[in-house]
Amino acid sequence: MNKLESILDFNGSFVANKEYEQYATSRFPDKRMVILTCMDARLTELLPKSMNLKNGDSKIIKNAGAIVTQPFGNIMRSIIVAVYELQADEVFVIGHHNCGMTGINPEEIIDHMVDRGIPMETITTLKHSGLNLMRWLTGFDNVKDSVINSVNIIRNHPLMPREVLVHGLIIDPETGALELVTEGSPAK
């Protein structure tokens, strides 16, 4: 049985037994917050537990490294929607120690793409089309600096209301300990 078959088999039982009822909530985050964090599998359950969050308390956005790379990209759009349409009034950017995006080498990623069958001609075409693959695939050297950079992009975004608090934290992916990097403050 492959993963999909196993998941669908389990899901049939989950729905038939009404196990979903314990997770019932609305689309609005009960604690009026949105979290941007890393997609690291260690954080799936650890992060919400370490913050005393249950299903429905927060909107959680995940990507590689908890990085806002573009002020008008998908991550920022999701944060803006959470604030204006889903009643979030605090944003938490939460990076973590030992992140896979630390010191990532874009050239190695491209080599892995080619090894897995992406033609070098495709890579060349993308480069000549104006896509800077090296920048697009780059991570960061220091998680604290990365969190501060993402927080600053969100705080200073021209569409972000000044009263929305934007905080930056780092979580230990083994213990769940949170380290405050920068605390949001109300606009004056």
Side-chain angles (χ1 to χ4, degrees), residues 75-116:
I75 297 298
M76 198 61 220
R77 180 187 66 201
S78 296
I79 292 168
I80 293 289
V81 168
V83 167
Y84 285 103
E85 297 300 314
L86 302 172
Q87 304 173 353
D89 54 19
E90 283 189 73
V91 178
F92 294 77
V93 176
I94 306 176
H96 68 93
H97 296 292
N98 304 314
C99 182
M101 290 299 285
T102 306
I104 197 166
N105 183 336
E107 291 174 9
E108 284 182 15
I109 295 173
I110 291 171
D111 288 344
H112 295 154
M113 290 175 183
V114 172
D115 291 345
R116 294 198 51 189

Side-chain angles (χ1 to χ4, degrees), residues 1-11:
M1 184 180 290
N2 68 32
K3 290 179 188 93
L4 177 61
E5 291 168 342
S6 175
I7 288 169
L8 291 175
D9 184 52
F10 174 85
N11 182 257

Side-chain angles (χ1 to χ4, degrees), residues 93-175:
V93 176
I94 306 176
H96 68 93
H97 296 292
N98 304 314
C99 182
M101 290 299 285
T102 306
I104 197 166
N105 183 336
E107 291 174 9
E108 284 182 15
I109 295 173
I110 291 171
D111 288 344
H112 295 154
M113 290 175 183
V114 172
D115 291 345
R116 294 198 51 189
I118 303 300
M120 196 60 202
E121 295 80 32
T122 299
I123 305 297
T124 302
T125 299
L126 290 172
K127 287 179 181 178
H128 291 302
S129 298
L131 176 63
N132 183 342
L133 282 174
M134 295 301 134
R135 184 182 183 301
W136 188 64
L137 294 170
T138 295
F140 49 80
D141 293 325
N142 179 296
V143 67
K144 183 177 180 181
D145 292 343
S146 179
V147 167
I148 289 170
N149 185 60
S150 291
V151 165
N152 285 337
I153 290 171
I154 298 166
R155 279 184 185 158
N156 296 307
H157 196 281
L159 300 177
M160 181 60 62
R162 297 298 123 210
E163 70 272 9
V164 172
L165 302 177
V166 183
H167 313 288
L169 298 100
I170 299 172
I171 187 170
D172 183 315
E174 294 176 21
T175 68

